[in-house]
Amino acid sequence: MAAVQDGQHNLEVEKDIKTEITNDGSGNINANSSSPGSTSSGGKSKSPAGSGEDQQTLLAVLQFLKRNKLTESVDILRREAGLSADADDSPVSESAGAGSGGVPNVGADGGDANSLLSRVSIATPVAPPATAPPKVVAASGGEDQPDVNVVLSAYSQQGDPVMYPLYYNGLKKFIESVLDCHRAELSQVFYPLFVHMYLELVYNNHENEAKQFFEKFSGDQECYYEEDLRILSSMSKKEHMKGNETMLDFRTSKFVLRISRDSYQLLKRHLQERQNNQIWNIIQEHLYIDIFDGMPRSKSQIDAMSGSLAGEGKRDANKAKVFYGLLKEPEIEVPLDDEDEEAENEEGKPKKKKPKKDSMGSKSKKQDPNAPQQTRIPLPELKDSDKLDKIMNMKEATKKIRLGPDNLPSICFYSFLNAYQGLTAVDFTDDSSLIAGGFADSTVRVWSVTPKKLRRVKSAADLSNIDKESDDVLERIMDEKTASESKILYGHSGPVYGISFSPDRNYLLSSSEDGTVRLWSLQTFTCLVGYKGHNYPVWDTQFSPYGYYFISGGHDRVARLWATDHYQPLRMFAGHLADITCTRFHPNANYVATGSADRTIRLWDVLTGNCVRILTGHKGPIHSLAFSPNGKFMASGATDSRVLLWDVGHGLMVGELKGHTDTIYALKFSRDGEILASGSMDNTVKLWDTLKAFDDVELDDFTAATGHIHLPENSQELLLGTYMTKSTPVIHLHFTRRNLLLAAGAYNP
Amino acid sequence: MASPKTVPKDAQVMIQILKDMGITEYEPRVINQMLEFTYRYVTTIIEDAKIYATHAKKNIVDADDIRLAIQCRMDQSFTSPPPRDFLLEVARQKNQTPLPLIKPYTGPRLPPDRYCLTAPNYRLKSIQKKVSSSAGRITVPRLSIGAVSSRPSTPTLGTPSVQSVTTKVGTPVSLSGQRFSVQIPSSQTTASKSSTPSTPMVQNVLINPSLIGSKKILITTNMVSQNSASESLKRKHEDDDDYDAL
């Protein structure tokens, strides 16, 4: 038994020097206090690790490599095998960190490996303890251990769950003792560290310790992480984690923190000098610390940007060039003889016959450097009907009311009665002639807003009989018998969550919980195509501003770009950690913005599929997005009842609009971008002055580089008006071409 | 809220669970729905576990059986979306292909017909009736609208037995047919004329989303009368001039 005694002796030696415990799970609790005698032999029978023999052998190999000081191989193996950095690290890091120390540390380290070896060599006499410290040989006695592999794996996986609260407490005390200016920044570490430690404990099946850890420290976290903590508290076993993709992703992805260099040095020095290497290991493994040179940020600045599930965006994630300008309008010759003359005669005012295209073409003679090339992505060419539409558009645009703080738009509200809380999506056509509503009973209904009724195209036999050369052929193809105020479209097998009209008013898209996106024809009022690809609820869909392309985003955390004539998506935008709740095209159709339940907004490039911007700052899932008409700015609304304004080109937050008291489901900029309207579940529509909001922003190089904007608290000044409805949450907003605001919602008494 | 005395224990437990998960506002029916779901789920699992236990020739159901039952059920009903690295890999591959160019002037831009829902999902069966020379009799073919997946969707327009005309336009594809236009000879043809409906026209503007099992089937079609000897009273004006080819 001499060998065993030696082993035990070494155990004792280690304990004096380091706090790490080096035995298996059963002996853990009492190992700290009582003698190790009970641990080494007796406890072996209980094997807590249950991840299979492969895992155990893998860990045994890992230990072998560590023992032989093959640190690089250790890293490679660990990375490839995807093992968690638990106590695996401790021997390595201690040897590294303590390497600079004196002999006793080395001795302890040797002793540590020694005791480990004692178990290795005892059970597997074939394993050659080649270059191990000399004591090993003595330790390789003939004691039979029931299952050393199990022991080994237990050792390496745990990393000592009982010590976690102590580590965390130690860090907490340290951070509370630093200078004020650093404290805010270093406090960012608490939340990710807490979550990762908790998940480690859960993943390694230490349920009780996990619960205690949670109870002790969950109250310290920031208030805006409350939802996440609640979800975490419901996960106490490894199996629970397996079902939750979001948490698994969180565990494998790196939480990004932005800390100034000074604060970072403080933290690093503290963690490396003491025996808090455990925390240092976790930090290295799971956190990505983006260091910047400059003043440490204040608490309010940090609070503004934090809140997302993956920390903030890395600086280089927001560095790609984004072409936020608009595409050149094609030059359309307005036929001045017929149409203009009619208009003029009506109004009785003689107008100069200036070709309209001058006003369009002149200002964009040279390429806007911020605008994408015309051919960057293929776009459908304009058909004659499109050109006619554009002419109508321009004519209406001349009658547009100029809005401003002293000239607020009138609001026309469309209430859906008797919807029984089943109204889930609404959309208007661009010329505001049709409304479509998506319902929880899986129907889509289309109404005509104008007195003109909805008609179906005649059947094929009838169509062959009409006079194709007549002037009003477009009227004749419609079947008068089918005229009605509204049409109902059946086809989905689940609630319809997203609706979008095509710009040419020929098609309607609807996305539903059944995982499909359907294309409906508005001429025959029938379903044409079902696009299958998401196998999970699709929360939002939108046509591109030029038609032909559309995007959809859903529960599978991926947004897809489709074209109407391809049955498979053209692009897949993957990267979000949680469901994508809102998808919007940029006005130049080259970029797609997606808002997600992981509280970030990502901007994707349609051409390459890359994520070009990650915008954090919301504290709840994002439900509405809107681009300003000039393409430079974006507004987003979430369940945290705030509207945030972003500069797309720089990827920075430029404004925060507080005022709503509930989730914001609708956001829309006016036609010239002067006013932002927001509609929310608190039954109000609020109007905000965007010209003022964007004027106030001063972006110099420094802020652009570091991304620190000091947001002025001017929400009250920017609020131009609040309009309340009678218990009708506002789901959708739309500015007509003349800048009349239309709003829609379901009356909910 | 009913007094605690009258609320059964299960419901109280459910209320507590909802409270723990942070759900404070909910309709009272939610508790019943949750209880029903729980009951159904638990009985399914236990039944499955019993089957596994008997398969393993064990007398009692133990934890392993339950675990296996839960795992199988989880893979079947409660699937979760694919993991992130898989998605990133798939996205990377998909995003490498350049965006396809758009062909000009192609009418409605839709995928190939087999991926659309624009084919008829019915097939017309012929009625075996003797052809009579009397005009004015309309044989309305019976529409057999059934599970589309189980039969080819090429409509076979049969005329009365004398002339067995089956116009198989397009190849029989199981789920979605080709778009076709079939012309049926108009009222004038008599029984003797063997109508070779090489160009019969079905007046249907098809449609339906029946591929996935929809709720309703919209048939915007006029009934096809195909008795070659008959006149269709419902037939709309059909110019005979157009069918000179016949």
Side-chain angles (χ1 to χ4, degrees):
Chain A
M1 285 299 148
V4 178
Q5 303 255 326
D6 274 346
Q8 290 176 3
H9 170 67
N10 288 330
L11 271 177
E12 279 179 289
V13 167
E14 293 156 23
K15 270 197 202 64
D16 293 349
I17 299 182
K18 64 178 168 80
T19 54
E20 190 67 15
I21 294 189
T22 64
N23 48 15
D24 61 318
S26 62
N28 230 353
I29 311 289
N30 44 14
N32 249 343
S33 45
S34 64
S35 72
S38 57
T39 58
S40 57
S41 42
K44 301 297 192 300
S45 51
K46 179 160 176 261
S47 55
S51 42
E53 289 202 347
D54 288 344
Q55 182 77 347
Q56 291 158 3
T57 43
L58 207 57
L59 291 161
V61 171
L62 202 62
Q63 295 306 323
F64 172 78
L65 289 174
K66 275 192 197 143
R67 193 193 341 132
N68 293 336
K69 307 278 195 275
L70 302 168
T71 47
E72 271 189 277
S73 319
V74 168
D75 284 348
I76 292 174
L77 178 61
R78 202 180 332 120
R79 210 170 34 239
E80 287 192 358
L83 291 174
S84 55
D86 241 334
D88 285 342
D89 286 332
S90 44
V92 177
S93 64
E94 259 136 19
S95 58
S100 55
V103 173
N105 273 349
V106 173
D109 180 45
D112 166 29
N114 183 26
S115 66
L116 188 53
L117 276 175
S118 68
R119 298 169 204 187
V120 177
S121 44
I122 285 169
T124 57
V126 293
T131 60
K135 281 195 214 155
V136 171
V137 182
S140 62
E143 175 155 319
D144 48 313
Q145 308 276 342
D147 199 352
V148 168
N149 270 345
V150 165
V151 168
L152 267 186
S153 60
Y155 168 83
S156 47
Q157 271 178 13
Q158 283 164 14
D160 193 3
V162 179
M163 300 306 294
Y164 275 25
L166 293 175
Y167 297 148
Y168 191 86
N169 235 344
L171 183 68
K172 200 165 133 192
K173 287 200 182 60
F174 164 68
I175 290 183
E176 277 163 16
S177 67
V178 298
L179 293 176
D180 279 352
C181 57
H182 298 298
R183 191 181 313 147
E185 288 205 324
L186 292 181
S187 307
Q188 290 179 69
V189 172
F190 280 139
Y191 176 71
L193 196 64
F194 172 78
V195 176
H196 277 291
M197 285 170 107
Y198 178 79
L199 288 179
E200 287 288 332
L201 291 173
V202 167
Y203 203 73
N204 296 330
N205 297 320
H206 301 302
E207 201 178 326
N208 289 330
E209 288 87 355
K211 282 201 184 122
Q212 287 168 7
F213 184 72
F214 190 87
E215 275 163 23
K216 203 164 168 202
F217 295 115
S218 64
D220 297 337
Q221 309 303 327
E222 301 277 354
C223 55
Y224 41 79
Y225 290 122
E226 195 184 323
E227 289 287 327
D228 285 348
L229 291 173
R230 198 175 295 129
I231 296 178
L232 272 188
S233 72
S234 72
M235 287 199 292
S236 50
K237 292 198 207 300
K238 192 173 170 184
E239 287 79 21
H240 298 165
M241 272 182 68
K242 283 209 186 117
N244 192 337
E245 280 298 328
T246 301
M247 278 302 150
L248 283 178
D249 282 347
F250 181 81
R251 197 161 169 274
T252 49
S253 64
K254 291 198 176 228
F255 193 94
V256 177
L257 291 174
R258 308 198 57 227
I259 300 188
S260 68
R261 192 173 290 278
D262 307 325
S263 317
Y264 177 68
Q265 297 291 0
L266 269 178
L267 183 70
K268 186 168 166 188
R269 213 179 311 135
H270 167 80
L271 287 181
Q272 278 186 332
E273 72 191 8
R274 300 183 42 187
Q275 291 113 2
N276 273 339
N277 285 312
Q278 192 59 14
I279 293 198
W280 179 242
N281 296 328
I282 295 181
I283 287 182
Q284 276 186 320
E285 174 89 5
H286 291 297
L287 265 59
Y288 178 90
I289 301 192
D290 198 20
I291 306 175
F292 64 88
D293 292 308
M295 291 289 297
R297 293 190 288 171
S298 68
K299 182 99 176 58
S300 60
Q301 279 180 321
I302 295 177
D303 273 347
M305 299 292 290
S306 59
S308 98
L309 201 53
E312 305 179 28
K314 296 185 207 178
R315 233 172 338 145
D316 44 359
N318 281 348
K319 281 296 173 220
K321 176 146 173 72
V322 168
F323 294 104
Y324 54 82
L326 301 175
L327 291 176
K328 264 200 298 204
E329 290 285 321
E331 300 186 351
I332 303 178
E333 301 203 0
V334 180
L336 298 165
D337 19 352
D338 298 324
E339 299 163 26
D340 259 1
E341 256 180 345
E342 286 174 25
E344 288 163 21
N345 288 339
E346 278 170 44
E347 292 169 356
K349 269 187 292 185
K351 277 200 198 140
K352 281 205 270 273
K353 288 202 179 179
K354 204 165 58 159
K356 287 239 170 39
K357 70 171 174 163
D358 270 1
S359 60
M360 300 291 292
S362 55
K363 62 181 174 206
S364 49
K365 275 280 185 278
K366 57 179 201 286
Q367 176 80 355
D368 180 3
N370 289 320
Q373 302 236 329
Q374 207 62 17
T375 51
R376 191 165 182 263
I377 59 169
L379 289 172
E381 83 284 342
L382 289 182
K383 297 190 287 226
D384 288 341
S385 52
D386 292 337
K387 292 191 179 140
L388 287 173
D389 275 346
K390 279 215 182 298
I391 293 170
M392 284 292 301
N393 202 348
M394 284 196 289
K395 279 213 208 119
E396 296 225 25
T398 57
K399 301 192 191 122
K400 197 164 45 173
I401 305 172
R402 291 241 119 216
L403 299 174
D406 45 354
N407 190 11
L408 296 178
S410 310
I411 307 182
C412 180
F413 198 99
Y414 288 89
S415 307
F416 286 71
L417 300 175
N418 299 332
Y420 303 115
Q421 293 160 341
L423 180 68
T424 43
V426 172
D427 194 24
F428 283 89
T429 50
D430 195 54
D431 62 351
S432 325
S433 58
L434 298 175
I435 302 184
F439 293 87
D441 61 357
S442 73
T443 54
V444 175
R445 285 165 206 250
V446 182
W447 281 271
S448 164
V449 172
T450 56
K452 184 163 179 261
K453 295 198 177 176
L454 300 177
R455 290 172 176 77
R456 275 210 203 106
V457 166
K458 288 180 182 158
S459 57
D462 298 341
L463 280 179
S464 55
N465 293 328
I466 62 175
D467 174 14
K468 295 182 186 54
E469 300 301 320
S470 67
D471 281 342
D472 56 349
V473 65
L474 291 175
E475 300 299 321
R476 292 192 184 204
I477 59 175
M478 294 299 178
D479 189 353
E480 286 301 320
K481 291 214 193 84
T482 59
S484 60
E485 288 282 333
S486 74
K487 297 255 183 257
I488 307 181
L489 303 172
Y490 295 102
H492 276 298
S493 45
V496 177
Y497 288 121
I499 270 205
S500 174
F501 277 106
S502 73
D504 55 5
R505 296 182 1 160
N506 285 335
Y507 301 115
L508 174 68
L509 272 181
S510 61
S511 73
S512 139
E513 178 259 348
D514 62 4
T516 60
V517 178
R518 279 178 187 255
L519 185 75
W520 310 83
S521 161
L522 291 176
Q523 281 153 347
T524 60
F525 290 98
T526 51
C527 183
L528 297 176
V529 193
Y531 298 96
K532 304 185 194 79
H534 298 274
N535 291 325
Y536 296 93
V538 187
W539 302 123
D540 197 10
T541 182
Q542 199 202 23
F543 253 112
S544 95
Y546 297 96
Y548 183 67
Y549 294 112
F550 61 94
I551 40 174
S552 61
H555 177 59
D556 58 353
R557 298 156 12 249
V558 169
R560 290 160 205 249
L561 176 83
W562 314 73
T564 51
D565 57 5
H566 287 79
Y567 62 97
Q568 283 183 338
L570 299 175
R571 289 282 180 265
M572 287 183 53
F573 306 119
H576 274 292
L577 293 180
D579 309 14
I580 292 177
T581 47
C582 187
T583 50
R584 284 284 175 269
F585 265 102
H586 188 278
N588 64 18
N590 272 275
Y591 295 94
V592 168
T594 56
S596 155
D598 67 359
R599 286 110 61 189
T600 59
I601 302 164
R602 284 183 186 231
L603 200 66
W604 308 86
D605 185 352
V606 164
L607 186 67
T608 57
N610 295 334
C611 175
V612 294
R613 293 282 181 268
I614 302 182
L615 307 170
T616 63
H618 273 296
K619 316 272 189 277
I622 290 143
H623 282 288
S624 53
L625 289 172
F627 276 101
S628 69
N630 60 7
K632 284 198 209 149
F633 301 105
M634 188 170 72
S636 60
T639 54
D640 60 357
S641 1
R642 295 177 316 151
V643 177
L644 296 180
L645 302 172
W646 310 88
D647 178 324
V648 167
H650 292 100
L652 300 170
M653 191 192 302
V654 298
E656 181 186 0
L657 304 172
K658 291 199 255 227
H660 279 293
T661 51
D662 208 335
T663 318
I664 293 155
Y665 276 116
L667 277 177
K668 205 57 162 228
F669 279 92
S670 66
R671 291 277 170 167
D672 286 330
E674 318 104 344
I675 297 219
L676 173 66
S678 63
S680 134
M681 289 286 291
D682 60 3
N683 307 336
T684 60
V685 174
K686 286 188 197 273
L687 299 176
W688 310 87
D689 184 354
T690 46
L691 287 180
K692 189 144 172 256
F694 295 134
D695 273 344
D696 287 346
V697 170
E698 297 278 326
L699 288 172
D700 56 358
D701 283 332
F702 178 68
T703 49
T706 56
H708 303 158
I709 300 279
H710 184 69
L711 296 173
E713 286 284 327
N714 57 354
S715 300
Q716 279 308 108
E717 300 160 13
L718 297 175
L719 178 62
L720 296 173
T722 303
Y723 303 92
M724 285 180 280
T725 69
K726 235 192 306 196
S727 74
T728 309
V730 183
I731 292 189
H732 192 256
L733 290 168
H734 174 77
F735 275 93
T736 64
R737 289 183 178 153
R738 300 196 191 184
N739 270 340
L740 171 70
L741 179 56
L742 304 178
Y747 178 58
N748 187 12
Chain B
M1 180 93 158
S3 59
K5 254 198 304 220
T6 55
V7 170
K9 186 158 171 295
D10 284 348
Q12 286 176 10
V13 170
M14 190 52 72
I15 293 171
Q16 190 59 39
I17 292 178
L18 287 174
K19 199 157 73 147
D20 281 342
M21 293 306 290
I23 303 168
T24 48
E25 292 178 13
Y26 50 86
E27 290 184 15
R29 289 188 307 166
V30 166
I31 300 175
N32 292 3
Q33 283 176 324
M34 297 292 292
L35 284 173
E36 269 195 50
F37 168 76
T38 313
Y39 185 76
R40 198 176 64 227
Y41 178 71
V42 171
T43 45
T44 323
I45 296 288
I46 293 182
E47 279 171 5
D48 284 353
K50 247 179 19 179
I51 296 175
Y52 297 138
T54 46
H55 177 77
K57 299 194 180 42
K58 285 189 277 199
N59 280 337
I60 49 171
V61 177
D62 60 6
D64 281 338
D65 298 322
I66 301 274
R67 214 170 281 136
L68 183 63
I70 292 179
Q71 203 180 341
C72 289
R73 242 344 121 168
M74 196 70 75
D75 295 337
Q76 210 178 349
S77 325
F78 303 107
T79 53
S80 56
R84 193 158 171 245
D85 45 358
F86 175 75
L87 290 174
L88 285 171
E89 182 56 34
V90 171
R92 200 182 55 84
Q93 279 185 355
K94 193 142 245 322
N95 294 344
Q96 272 170 354
T97 54
L99 290 173
L101 295 173
I102 305 176
K103 299 196 212 41
Y105 307 123
T106 44
R109 297 196 158 98
L110 295 175
D113 282 336
R114 55 196 301 263
Y115 300 106
C116 287
L117 303 169
T118 48
N121 65 334
Y122 57 86
R123 191 173 56 131
L124 302 173
K125 269 165 85 163
S126 68
I127 299 177
Q128 301 294 331
K129 279 219 170 101
K130 265 195 353 190
V131 173
S132 72
S133 54
S134 66
R137 193 155 64 95
I138 303 165
T139 2
V140 174
R142 278 177 296 150
L143 281 177
S144 46
I145 302 168
V148 176
S149 51
S150 62
R151 61 188 78 170
S153 64
T154 40
T156 51
L157 300 172
T159 51
S161 54
V162 175
Q163 300 120 340
S164 62
V165 171
T166 52
T167 64
K168 278 201 169 32
V169 181
T171 57
V173 175
S174 65
L175 277 186
S176 57
Q178 308 287 338
R179 206 194 287 259
F180 62 94
S181 73
V182 169
Q183 275 195 343
I184 289 196
S186 75
S187 42
Q188 264 126 345
T189 53
T190 57
S192 53
K193 178 175 176 188
S194 98
S195 56
T196 37
S198 51
T199 52
M201 161 133 66
V202 165
Q203 304 164 13
N204 58 3
V205 176
L206 39 20
I207 314 150
N208 12 22
S210 58
L211 291 180
I212 314 183
S214 67
K215 284 188 187 173
K216 279 214 184 162
I217 299 175
L218 290 178
I219 302 176
T220 60
T221 175
N222 296 322
M223 300 305 279
V224 173
S225 76
Q226 36 184 355
N227 193 348
S228 51
S230 66
E231 241 179 72
S232 159
L233 296 182
K234 289 200 184 143
R235 176 66 55 93
K236 305 235 176 193
H237 40 284
E238 233 171 70
D239 279 335
D240 302 341
D241 300 337
D242 289 351
Y243 305 131
D244 281 345
L246 290 175

